[in-house]
């Protein structure tokens, strides 16, 4: 049996831009992708802390070190620059894999800098 569980999340990232005239997706700084163990093209759920919006999209690579968190296309209507969001990725695990299961959590500060990358006990 496969069970869908939290794989990784970026907690309290600040939206830096919203580009309505783009094909779609969320642009995430490559340093954050590495810290969160997320991949280009991966499906993610976006949780907007400011307005309660929840929606799914996929990841595109942002320039390393710029700190970009940009919502593109239709997703740009779901958040505004300055909004705080949580970016969540899930994965399917077998019962055996769950014996040592610990998701990756990247915690952000108010300036949207990484303050910790932890493997969370649930």
């Amino acid at each position: 049996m496969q069970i869908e569980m939290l794989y990784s999340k970026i907690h309290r990232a600040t939206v830096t831009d919203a580009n309505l005239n783009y094909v779609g997706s969320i642009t995430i700084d490559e340093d954050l992708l590495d810290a969160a163990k997320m991949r280009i093209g991966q499906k993610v759920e976006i949780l907007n802390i400011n307005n309660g919006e929840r929606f799914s999209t996929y990841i595109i690579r942002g320039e390393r070190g710029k700190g970009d968190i940009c919502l593109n296309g239709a997703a740009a209507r779901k958040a505004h620059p300055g909004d705080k969001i949580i970016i969540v990725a899930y994965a399917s695990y077998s019962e055996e894999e769950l014996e040592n299961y610990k998701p990756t959590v990247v915690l952000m500060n108010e300036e949207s800098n990484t303050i910790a990358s932890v493997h969370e006990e649930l």
Side-chain angles (χ1 to χ4, degrees):
M1 172 171 62
Q2 294 287 305
I3 301 171
E4 192 168 359
M5 302 285 289
L6 173 68
Y7 167 75
S8 178
K9 75 175 176 177
I10 301 172
H11 189 76
R12 294 189 64 82
T14 302
V15 175
T16 58
D17 197 8
N19 184 351
L20 186 60
N21 297 312
Y22 192 83
V23 176
S25 66
I26 183 169
T27 303
I28 303 174
D29 180 300
E30 197 166 7
D31 286 337
L32 286 175
L33 293 178
D34 290 347
K37 299 181 181 175
M38 292 180 181
R39 294 174 166 74
I40 307 308
Q42 184 174 11
K43 180 182 178 179
V44 289
E45 187 172 4
I46 310 300
L47 318 175
N48 188 325
I49 295 168
N50 292 72
N51 65 19
E53 289 279 358
R54 297 175 73 102
F55 56 95
S56 297
T57 190
Y58 62 93
I59 298 170
I60 62 172
R61 178 185 296 115
E63 190 174 331
R64 188 176 294 280
K66 287 191 69 181
D68 289 338
I69 302 288
C70 179
L71 293 166
N72 303 300
R77 295 215 185 267
K78 303 283 190 180
H80 300 286
D83 283 0
K84 295 292 184 186
I85 61 172
I86 302 168
I87 304 164
V88 182
Y90 300 97
S92 294
Y93 296 89
S94 68
E95 291 285 343
E96 295 79 29
E97 290 171 315
L98 289 173
E99 290 177 19
N100 297 312
Y101 165 76
K102 292 181 185 169
T104 300
V105 177
V106 176
L107 304 174
M108 309 294 289
N109 67 13
E110 289 302 313
E111 292 75 42
S112 214
N113 296 316
T114 302
I115 56 172
S117 181
V118 297
H119 298 286
E120 197 171 74
E121 294 280 342
L122 297 179

